[in-house]
Amino acid sequence: MIRIEELTFRFGDGPPVLRRLSLEVRRGEILGVLGPNGCGKSTLLRLMRGALTPGGGRVLLDGRPVHRYRRRELARWMAVVPQATATPFPYTAWEFVAMGRFAHAPGIGGPRRGDRAAVDKALTLTDTLHLARRPVTRLSGGELQRVVLARALAQETPILLLDEATSHLDIRHRLGIAELLVRLHRDEDRTIVHVTHDFDLAAAISDRLLLLSPGGEPLAVGTPWQVLTPARIREAFSVIVRVEPDPATGRPRVLPVLPARDPALEGSR
Amino acid sequence: MNSPTRYELPLSSRALFLRAGILALMLAAGASAAGAAVWTDALGRRVEVPDRPGRIVSLVPSVTEVLYALGVQDRVAGVTRFCTFPAEAQSKPKVGGYADPSLEAIVALAPDLVFGSADATPPLLIDRLEGLGIPVYVVYPRSLASTVAMLRRVGRVVGAARAGERLAAGLERTVAEVRDRVRDLPRPRVLLCVMVEPLVVAGPGTLAHDLIATAGGRNVVPAGPSRYPTWGPESLLAADPDVVVVSPHPGQPAPGRLFDRWPELKAVAAGRVVEIPADWIHRPGPRLARGLRALARAIHPDAFPEEGP
Amino acid sequence: MTPQRRLPWAAVLSALLLAGLGFSLWAGSLRLSWGEIGGILLGNGRTDPTHVAIVLRVRLPRAALAALVGAGLGAAGGAFQGLLRNPLADPYILGVSGGAALGAVAALSLGLTTPLAVPAAAFLGAVAALGFVYVVARAHRGSPHTLILSGVMVGSFCSALLLFLLWTSPSDPVRTAIFWLAGDLSGASPGWLPAAGLWAGVAFLVLWLQAPALDLLTQGEETAADLGLDVGRARLLLLGAAGGLTAAAVALAGLVGFVGLVVPHAVRLVWGPGHRRLLPASALLGAAFLLGADAVARTVLAPAEVPVGVVTALVGAPFFLYLLRQKDGRA
């Protein structure tokens, strides 16, 4: 569905942020992108949605270079869930989510019946229908993030791109969103690419993972068990970890190896 | 009162002037040199001036005009860039504008007397000049009578008392003559416009107002917070004056543009919209006599048949 | 504390506009009865021709001008605030005021005193300044931040040139300019109104059709693009239309302050930020507000007139503070 060929990118004269990355995002899969800060994860998402132009190589969406698409056409293919940021304009949550319908109904007439249904459905899916009439300036961080997700869902696109969309949510909402992503994937066959720092969540919900090195090179692509090995994680993040199967799901769990506490020292306190 | 455009200027604070004056007095205390006299200026300040000042700087266009009329132009050392009459005055060294003259330029001319005006010369500048030992004589004429007095005072202060007396008496004669001729005539309602776009008119408390009254007219502008209020066309139509006097400055839009639009005005219908050069009306100097005659003729054409336009 | 979306904005604001129009026709240095004004408006008044002239040729064109300028500034202010994602933006923020002032003063200094010279020069100055700001900012992809910065710089530069012209100029033409720049509804000729109205109408229509784009732009350019907006095109259209409205308002009435800043805020506090509603509502409220302010300016010291900008700020600021307190809004 999204085909990435020999992709290289740099900002200005700086060092490359991404180096010779090739990847095929398959229809209906959940792909998790992991890597240390500054390795180009978010840049990769930007390149995938044509917000940046590749320095080398190309990104094909359904066989066509992504930057050849018109913005509105693209917005009917993929929706983006960024990290929610405060907005100074007090739109109601409903109005805010309705902005997701722009690609379908850009005119001055406003949302039609189908658009309204899509907005209500997105609010329901993200458990935010009760917030519909509240101004987004008055929502908590978790509420706002779910409303941002709802806006992307209202776009009704086959592809969803999530850029650390869950990282500042508490555990309940993080799990709620993870569950929702799995459901969208399962019931509606949506293709989901999500960038995250959360190994366990990525391993739990993703079909495949992409691990990037600090220099923006692909270290591994494959199933969670193939990618999340102590050696690769050490190479990417310079930390020592153990990887164990989760007793419930059988997926890998990454446990940091902390320096052992000195029993003598603890005793002397 | 000395510049044609003073309606722009805020009324200066008398208190500030008085304080400046007291400070100047303290600084000058005891320095009573021989051949000098102490005068009291228009603000009540005591100013010590040499008997026959030889280097005079005028910060007031009308005073510059008076100095030339007194015949002491050789002793004028500096003027403002607005001192355009008589034409020779323009060749004198310039010290800046009347509201923002340069202290340095004034001091560089080493004057022994500076003329300022109460509503244009910055109080701080007067203060600093006094601090440097340069006497500043402030004038403040806002009526015909005070203009007559000013002509006499300036003549005496610069040591040309007889010439000053002559100028003053000449203006007094004109005033008396005009008064005499209009005494028993009806008093038409007059509007005097300082600017046309926007319409700025002269109200009570202005020299022009005094001129209108002396010339046998009634000013239609009522007293208000501003001596030179801005009027909309509605006020013009509602006032409907018998005579409109326009005193445009060079570069102002032609008055016809405003008045042609309102044929229902009495003055327009009767062809009584009259132009008089601004300097004749707004500059309290020797030319005020011409302004007064022109105004009187505009208001009472039958009583002044001999006056040229 | 949700914004009161239930108040029918079109009805409320149209009523306000009508009230403003009535007040404006009634207020003036001459007291006329409602019956007489009505008779004159209906053309069956056998009254004093001076009164007919005052109502039909003074007050009516002046009211139309105030309404047009107020509507233009209100709508343009709303558009600039959304476009620049800055609630403190006003229609003059992108150098328009400086450019217009410079144009007007340059025309006056050159001794161009034909009636159309000053408004035309002001209009050209405003458009030139805005165009220059846009070209400079486009080098940095025209982000709101760069737009505002280059707008402020161009404005400062124009102001410096303006001060220089004022300083070197012999006096009176420049004083005309100062009155004009303080906001002056008496300068425009009624004959210009149809053309100005047509221009403003077209500009407003372009602006309004871009309202959904404006909603998206408040979310930031990247998000707007992700939601399907061609950001560059939308921004150019919006800048052109809002700038055109502002330039026309400035050309007609000088720099009337405050309306473009506060009217969209007030609308947002009461009816929310959606631009499909905010733009027409700001136009209506701006028109009503300037009608009222001008009527006050003409009567409070009658027969003298007070600059209308003084009244807009004196009346508008306390009212706005009151609204802010009532709604505890964050608009």
Side-chain angles (χ1 to χ4, degrees):
Chain A
M1 181 156 256
I2 302 178
R3 195 181 166 78
I4 294 169
E5 293 173 352
E6 295 283 313
L7 187 64
T8 299
F9 184 81
R10 65 180 77 208
F11 288 103
D13 306 329
V17 192
L18 283 172
R19 242 188 278 241
R20 302 175 66 80
L21 174 68
S22 293
L23 178 75
E24 164 101 43
V25 181
R26 297 170 194 153
R27 193 178 298 269
E29 78 166 336
I30 299 184
L31 176 76
V33 181
L34 296 166
N37 288 335
C39 72
K41 300 188 296 288
S42 298
T43 305
L44 175 60
L45 280 197
R46 287 205 172 90
L47 287 160
M48 283 169 105
R49 61 185 201 256
L52 293 174
T53 314
R58 53 186 192 157
V59 179
L60 301 174
L61 171 65
D62 200 34
R64 241 168 86 201
V66 74
H67 58 268
R68 292 277 176 74
Y69 283 75
R70 295 181 49 213
R71 289 304 335 170
R72 205 201 300 163
E73 207 180 344
L74 211 52
R76 287 188 293 228
W77 267 100
M78 50 175 89
V80 184
V81 186
Q83 239 184 63
T85 48
T87 154
F89 291 90
Y91 289 96
T92 62
W94 200 93
E95 289 172 319
F96 187 89
V97 172
M99 289 185 204
R101 299 303 296 171
F102 181 81
H104 300 270
I108 191 66
R112 287 180 290 256
R113 186 184 299 172
D115 301 310
R116 294 178 169 278
V119 172
D120 289 339
K121 185 181 165 202
L123 286 166
T124 312
L125 280 173
T126 52
D127 189 22
T128 48
L129 197 55
H130 63 290
L131 303 174
R133 295 171 58 80
R134 291 255 299 273
V136 289
T137 43
R138 303 290 175 83
L139 300 181
S140 73
E143 290 168 336
L144 183 60
Q145 186 65 64
R146 284 183 289 146
V147 169
V148 170
L149 177 61
R151 185 176 65 190
L153 295 182
Q155 277 179 257
E156 296 187 319
T157 55
I159 302 172
L160 270 181
L161 306 177
L162 290 88
D163 193 352
E164 296 189 32
T166 56
S167 33
H168 58 214
L169 298 186
D170 65 27
I171 182 138
R172 193 184 122 222
H173 287 126
R174 203 157 11 160
L175 291 180
I177 285 182
E179 234 173 87
L180 175 61
L181 292 180
V182 170
R183 212 161 78 220
L184 289 169
H185 162 67
R186 192 185 58 215
D187 300 346
E188 302 182 7
D189 201 30
R190 300 225 203 183
T191 308
I192 297 171
V193 179
H194 67 121
V195 163
T196 181
H197 280 300
D198 187 334
F199 290 115
D200 298 341
L201 188 113
I205 68 168
S206 305
D207 299 309
R208 289 193 304 154
L209 294 179
L210 165 67
L211 181 64
L212 292 171
S213 76
E217 280 161 301
L219 281 175
V221 188
T223 64
W225 275 113
Q226 288 167 336
V227 172
L228 294 178
T229 65
R232 291 217 165 96
I233 289 173
R234 187 172 179 180
E235 198 178 342
F237 293 93
S238 314
V239 292
I240 299 165
V241 297
R242 285 184 291 132
V243 178
E244 291 176 353
D246 184 302
T249 63
R251 301 265 179 154
R253 293 183 60 191
V254 176
L255 304 165
V257 178
L258 298 169
R261 288 184 168 180
D262 190 333
L265 256 171
E266 268 186 31
S268 73
R269 258 208 327 227
Chain B
M1 285 286 72
N2 308 289
S3 75
T5 44
R6 62 219 169 286
Y7 46 81
E8 273 288 298
L9 305 166
L11 283 180
S12 38
S13 149
R14 272 169 180 274
L16 203 58
F17 276 104
L18 287 177
R19 241 182 295 142
I22 290 163
L23 183 63
L25 270 181
M26 279 159 51
L27 287 168
S32 187
V38 175
W39 302 93
T40 304
D41 73 6
L43 295 178
R45 298 161 64 250
R46 287 163 54 84
V47 187
E48 188 175 310
V49 182
D51 278 346
R52 207 183 122 85
R55 298 190 59 75
I56 305 168
V57 169
S58 165
L59 303 180
V60 194
S62 62
V63 171
T64 305
E65 213 174 308
V66 172
L67 293 173
Y68 271 79
L70 290 171
V72 300
Q73 59 269 27
D74 296 342
R75 291 193 268 138
V76 174
V79 297
T80 73
R81 61 194 161 94
F82 296 102
C83 296
T84 50
F85 189 92
E88 307 92 79
Q90 285 170 294
S91 58
K92 293 281 185 185
K94 306 284 190 297
V95 297
Y98 55 82
D100 56 348
S102 153
L103 176 65
E104 186 172 316
I106 297 170
V107 173
L109 294 173
D112 51 7
L113 175 60
V114 172
F115 280 104
S117 89
D119 49 6
T121 313
L124 192 65
L125 181 84
I126 297 175
D127 196 9
R128 296 199 60 189
L129 285 170
E130 292 279 4
L132 291 164
I134 299 171
V136 181
Y137 187 91
V138 177
V139 299
Y140 194 31
R142 290 169 70 155
S143 63
L144 276 166
S146 58
T147 303
V148 169
M150 187 267 279
L151 292 172
R152 275 201 183 96
R153 291 308 290 276
V154 171
R156 273 193 247 156
V157 167
V158 302
R162 252 194 295 156
E165 186 54 46
R166 206 180 58 240
L167 289 181
L171 182 54
E172 271 177 329
R173 250 195 325 278
T174 306
V175 170
E177 187 203 328
V178 168
R179 277 220 172 96
D180 195 47
R181 286 213 214 174
V182 302
R183 177 164 296 126
D184 300 320
L185 299 178
R187 301 173 68 78
R189 301 167 68 254
V190 179
L191 178 71
L192 193 137
C193 312
V194 180
M195 283 173 80
V196 175
E197 279 182 13
L199 182 64
V200 176
V201 298
T206 62
L207 182 56
H209 179 86
D210 195 25
L211 254 64
I212 292 171
T214 308
R218 265 184 301 150
N219 193 351
V220 294
V221 182
S226 168
R227 294 192 295 136
Y228 291 94
T230 306
W231 272 21
E234 176 169 338
S235 304
L236 177 65
L237 287 170
D240 200 11
D242 301 310
V243 181
V244 172
V245 178
V246 190
S247 57
H249 291 282
Q252 276 274 297
R257 206 156 100 202
L258 173 65
F259 293 103
D260 291 351
R261 245 192 268 162
W262 307 111
E264 43 280 271
L265 283 174
K266 264 186 263 167
V268 174
R272 299 195 65 187
V273 178
V274 183
E275 282 189 49
I276 298 176
D279 285 2
W280 295 10
I281 290 182
H282 300 297
R283 280 198 184 183
R287 282 190 290 168
L288 216 47
R290 297 170 78 174
L292 181 59
R293 280 180 185 280
L295 197 57
R297 182 179 148 74
I299 298 171
H300 297 289
D302 299 335
F304 296 87
E306 78 281 13
E307 308 280 342
Chain C
M1 289 301 245
T2 61
Q4 288 294 309
R5 305 296 158 78
R6 291 291 152 219
L7 276 177
W9 64 271
V12 169
L13 292 175
S14 299
L16 262 181
L17 178 62
L18 275 179
L21 187 63
F23 183 42
S24 183
L25 287 178
W26 172 77
S29 40
L30 203 68
R31 249 323 108 78
L32 299 179
S33 73
W34 274 112
E36 188 175 2
I37 294 171
I40 290 170
L41 286 176
L42 295 172
N44 57 8
R46 281 194 311 277
T47 56
D48 189 335
T50 303
H51 293 188
V52 176
I54 283 178
V55 173
L56 293 184
R57 290 175 52 213
V58 177
R59 293 186 187 172
L60 200 58
R62 176 106 175 207
L65 176 71
L68 185 64
V69 169
L73 290 177
F80 274 118
Q81 286 172 7
L83 182 63
L84 301 172
R85 283 204 292 151
N86 189 333
L88 286 180
D90 77 358
Y92 306 137
I93 195 166
L94 294 185
V96 168
S97 51
L102 187 59
V105 171
L108 286 163
S109 301
L110 290 173
L112 304 176
T113 50
T114 55
L116 211 57
V118 170
F123 185 84
L124 291 179
V127 171
L130 191 67
F132 188 73
V133 166
Y134 178 74
V135 169
V136 170
R138 212 174 50 161
H140 291 269
R141 303 183 48 224
S143 71
H145 192 66
T146 322
L147 274 171
I148 291 176
L149 272 180
S150 43
V152 169
M153 284 308 122
V154 168
S156 302
F157 184 77
C158 288
S159 299
L161 274 180
L162 176 75
L163 283 177
F164 180 75
L165 274 185
L166 286 175
W167 191 86
T168 51
S169 194
S171 63
D172 273 17
V174 168
R175 280 166 210 283
T176 305
I178 289 171
F179 276 95
W180 183 82
L181 291 171
D184 178 14
L185 286 165
S186 71
S189 160
W192 307 339
L193 280 174
L198 186 68
W199 168 271
V202 170
F204 178 79
L205 195 65
V206 173
L207 210 56
W208 189 62
L209 289 174
Q210 290 296 311
L214 207 45
D215 284 335
L216 261 56
L217 281 170
T218 61
Q219 303 303 308
E221 290 144 82
E222 187 162 11
T223 298
D226 288 339
L227 292 172
L229 182 68
D230 182 344
V231 172
R233 181 170 164 276
R235 186 162 39 211
L236 186 60
L237 275 173
L238 283 164
L239 271 180
L245 266 183
T246 310
V250 169
L252 289 173
L255 299 176
V256 178
F258 208 76
V259 179
L261 174 67
V262 156
V263 162
H265 266 283
V267 170
R268 208 177 289 122
L269 280 174
V270 181
W271 286 288
H275 287 93
R276 279 192 308 139
R277 185 173 44 220
L278 184 125
L279 293 177
S282 296
L284 285 175
L285 185 60
F289 181 57
L290 199 58
L291 275 170
D294 179 52
V296 171
R298 285 184 289 123
T299 40
V300 66
L301 289 180
E305 283 190 15
V306 180
V308 72
V310 173
V311 178
T312 52
L314 278 181
V315 175
F319 171 71
F320 182 68
L321 290 176
Y322 165 79
L323 259 190
L324 209 56
R325 220 180 117 73
Q326 287 294 300
K327 293 285 174 186
D328 184 29
R330 296 189 205 162

